[in-house]
Structures are given as C-alpha cells and as structure tokens.
Amino acid sequence: MLAGCGKHEANPPKEVSKPIPWWQPLEPDVVIGGYAFYAGKCAIVRVERIDGTPPETTTFRVPSRPLASCENWKGEGEPLKHDGEYIILSVCQMSFGAGGCAVERYRSADFAHWEEHIGVTWINGEEHEAWRTLGSTSSKADSVKKVEK
C-alpha cells in the first residue's frame, strides 16, 4: 500500500459531543403548564421537551435602546417571575456613560401582548402599578394593577 492511502484502524473516529445549553444546569425561573421559562440575557426563553429533545425558543426579547446595554436585573427579587396572572421580566438598561441602571419591567398574560411598567398611580387612595402596551407612545396607562403589600 502507498503511504497515506490506507485506513489507519488504530485510531477509530471520535464522537463529537454537542455543547450543553446554557440553561440546562439551571433550575427554571418559572414553570407554567409544563413549559420551563428562563431569564435569558434580556429575554425570556421557553424550553419544552419534545421526543426527549428540549428545544429552546425565545418568547420575548427586551426592545433595544439607543446607546444602552441591557443586563438581567440582579437586585432585590428575581429577574423573571410569575404572579399567577402575568409573567414579568425585570432588566437593567444602562446608558453608555451614565453609570446608572434604569430598571425596566415587562409583562404578559398570553405571551402575545406585552406591556411595559411606567410607574405607579393612586386610585381612591390605593397604590396601583401603571402599565402601557409595549410600543405605545401614549403617556397614559393602558392597565393598572393594585399593589398588594
């Protein structure tokens, strides 16, 4: 045989292992109806098992802001939670050169219609969170939710 033309049986082909998904070693942040949800980098990632393979789907991504970077919220509370009605993602938007964090929150009850938190309002002496439909330019809240303390 000519050198280099024959098969060399001493080193069988090695199996290439697939990389482990970033979320696999973590506990889900939220579980709703058999779906596991994780706070990705300024996004909500849904993982479900189909035929033993857990596909990953980005359910929501925080809108980008000009000249700003986005990180998951690392302060008090969790970056992703479910209050029984809404799934809520909290992130930190930092404008370049500003050095401070603007906490932004987004929520959805159906994963199709999203709202952003715009502050608090008082109705009949009771504190309510004010939410506006994502993408709206109105200064008024589209929905409010009483703050339970």
Side-chain angles (χ1 to χ4, degrees), residues 2-147:
L2 295 172
C5 291
K7 272 189 165 180
H8 183 59
E9 298 297 327
N11 295 326
K14 294 180 182 177
E15 289 188 28
V16 178
S17 62
K18 294 181 181 178
I20 296 173
W22 64 267
W23 44 262
Q24 195 168 34
L26 305 173
E27 288 293 319
D29 294 303
V30 172
V31 176
I32 303 172
Y35 295 106
F37 294 91
Y38 297 85
K41 182 167 169 52
C42 294
I44 299 174
V45 176
R46 182 183 76 194
V47 177
E48 63 180 304
R49 291 201 177 273
I50 298 175
D51 299 329
T53 306
E56 171 184 324
T57 305
T58 300
T59 302
F60 174 74
R61 182 166 307 284
V62 171
S64 61
R65 304 272 189 243
L67 299 174
S69 66
C70 182
E71 296 289 331
N72 288 348
W73 174 243
K74 293 178 177 75
E76 187 177 320
E78 299 296 320
L80 185 63
K81 66 181 182 178
H82 185 250
D83 68 2
E85 183 178 2
Y86 293 97
I87 191 165
I88 303 165
L89 177 66
S90 299
V91 298
C92 173
Q93 291 272 10
M94 269 196 269
S95 297
F96 294 116
C101 171
V103 179
E104 296 180 1
R105 294 188 311 158
Y106 301 89
R107 75 177 189 177
S108 178
D110 60 5
F111 299 102
H113 302 93
W114 290 89
E115 296 178 312
E116 60 184 324
H117 184 257
I118 58 171
V120 296
T121 188
W122 295 86
I123 300 172
N124 298 327
E126 296 178 319
E127 184 179 5
H128 289 70
E129 294 180 331
W131 297 85
R132 175 178 54 214
T133 302
L134 190 59
S136 171
T137 57
S138 171
S139 61
K140 294 184 178 183
D142 293 314
S143 65
V144 295
K145 184 173 182 176
K146 184 178 176 185
V147 174

